[in-house]
Amino acid sequence: MPFDLPASCRRRTALGALAGAFAVGACAPFAPAPTARRRVLLSEGAVRIDVIVEGQGPALVLLPSSQRDSEDFDGLAERLAAFGFRVLRPQPRGMGASAGPMNDLTLHVLAGDVATTVRQLGGGRAVLVGHAYGHFVARVADLDHPGLVRGVVVAAGAARTFPPGVPRSLAVASDPAQARDARLRGLREGFFAPGNDPTPWLEGWHPALREVYSRAGRTPAKEVWWPVSNAPILDLQGAEDPWRPPATRNELKDVLGDKVQVKIVPRASHALIPEQPAAVAQAIADWIGTLPP
């Protein structure tokens, strides 16, 4: 059912990052030529899933990165909707109006929330776009619910083994208790390429959920899902992403072969999507055009 804006959206509006648009039940879109946008609250037992919905056509599900919510995708979602997709953005549990048991949260549980979204709003089949941590969820959804997954976009997926030092940039950037300059330095070191503005990412973090999602990301172990895929994969990498050094560009393709297409986005780091939303949208749309129905 449609419902009013969550507090996080109202907060960002007040900060000037996004304009309010209560007439359509969501934050105002980032890109020009806006498409209709609404929010839907799904129910599945004790679970409530807050989903931002826009566009018509084949379903795409956007899954956000660590400690961040799906409002990060405003600019990308509008562009994809304009390309003719139905774009679904389920908020992770504990963010927006999404709620459900948080004890014993795992990637299997989070993948189940994605499956509910695809069944109820995506016509039973969708391409999943997972940004950084979100690609853990997308890959496990493909493992657990292969009939629902048409393809997986790994957007700014880190190397299989994280390079030394880069997790510290996340810890500093996401911590509101740190000094602003330190956080900006962490964002520039770990998330934004030179010349790209990191200041919007001073907001939008959910640090209280850091530990529960960190634990969830360890079950199942990466060795279970990383070398397996039922669906085709687009491995979309920022050219200047320290989490994905050049030597690791083809590590997923080396394991999964022709199931994987690697695409490098210039002038982008680990944040990727807010850095180059137009290039990311075009790459996703082009790749989906190569998939079977």
Side-chain angles (χ1 to χ4, degrees), residues 143-230:
L143 190 71
D144 292 351
H145 309 279
L148 302 179
V149 181
R150 184 180 173 201
V152 173
V153 179
V154 175
R160 184 171 184 174
T161 301
F162 292 169
V166 291
R168 183 180 180 280
S169 63
L170 171 60
V172 173
S174 64
D175 184 358
Q178 296 285 330
R180 185 177 189 273
D181 286 348
R183 296 183 66 204
L184 285 172
R185 186 164 53 250
L187 288 170
R188 292 188 180 102
E189 290 173 353
F191 296 89
F192 286 81
N196 295 337
D197 180 15
T199 55
W201 266 33
L202 289 170
E203 303 295 333
W205 297 93
H206 297 263
L209 298 173
R210 177 187 297 127
E211 290 305 318
V212 69
Y213 275 92
S214 178
R215 287 195 302 272
R218 295 193 288 270
T219 305
K222 188 178 287 188
E223 290 71 22
V224 173
W225 57 263
W226 196 91
V228 179
S229 185
N230 294 297

Side-chain angles (χ1 to χ4, degrees), residues 13 23 34 39 42 57 74 77 111 146 154 191 208 223 259 271 279 288:
T13 299
R39 299 186 85 114
L42 304 180
D74 277 356
V154 175
F191 296 89
E223 290 71 22
K259 280 197 170 181
I288 291 175

Side-chain angles (χ1 to χ4, degrees), residues 22-274:
F22 287 87
V24 296
C27 290
F30 171 81
T35 56
R37 182 179 299 180
R38 62 193 177 98
R39 299 186 85 114
V40 175
L41 190 63
L42 304 180
S43 297
E44 182 76 11
V47 177
R48 302 292 179 268
I49 307 171
D50 169 7
V51 187
I52 305 172
V53 182
E54 58 197 296
Q56 296 295 329
L60 276 171
V61 179
L62 308 185
L63 305 171
S65 58
S66 178
Q67 302 175 58
R68 298 193 64 83
D69 61 48
S70 65
E71 290 176 22
D72 269 348
F73 295 123
D74 277 356
L76 176 64
E78 182 153 3
R79 288 170 170 86
L80 290 169
F83 278 135
F85 297 104
R86 180 175 178 83
V87 184
L88 309 174
R89 293 189 269 162
Q91 296 277 31
R93 292 189 191 189
M95 304 182 197
S98 289
M102 301 297 283
N103 294 330
D104 302 320
L105 200 65
T106 67
L107 293 173
H108 290 301
V109 173
L110 297 172
D113 291 348
V114 174
T116 295
T117 301
V118 175
R119 289 190 188 102
Q120 294 195 27
L121 292 174
R125 193 159 170 81
V127 170
L128 310 183
V129 181
H131 182 203
Y133 182 99
H135 100 272
F136 291 18
V137 182
R139 296 288 308 281
V140 174
D142 170 69
L143 190 71
D144 292 351
H145 309 279
L148 302 179
V149 181
R150 184 180 173 201
V152 173
V153 179
V154 175
R160 184 171 184 174
T161 301
F162 292 169
V166 291
R168 183 180 180 280
S169 63
L170 171 60
V172 173
S174 64
D175 184 358
Q178 296 285 330
R180 185 177 189 273
D181 286 348
R183 296 183 66 204
L184 285 172
R185 186 164 53 250
L187 288 170
R188 292 188 180 102
E189 290 173 353
F191 296 89
F192 286 81
N196 295 337
D197 180 15
T199 55
W201 266 33
L202 289 170
E203 303 295 333
W205 297 93
H206 297 263
L209 298 173
R210 177 187 297 127
E211 290 305 318
V212 69
Y213 275 92
S214 178
R215 287 195 302 272
R218 295 193 288 270
T219 305
K222 188 178 287 188
E223 290 71 22
V224 173
W225 57 263
W226 196 91
V228 179
S229 185
N230 294 297
I233 292 175
L234 172 62
D235 189 358
L236 197 57
Q237 306 173 28
E240 301 177 62
D241 185 352
W243 296 76
R244 193 68 178 272
T248 69
R249 291 278 188 242
N250 291 317
E251 64 176 8
L252 191 56
K253 187 173 181 62
D254 287 344
V255 172
L256 294 172
D258 290 343
K259 280 197 170 181
V260 178
Q261 178 180 326
V262 176
K263 173 75 174 178
I264 309 300
V265 179
R267 299 183 300 282
S269 180
H270 198 56
L272 180 59
I273 290 169

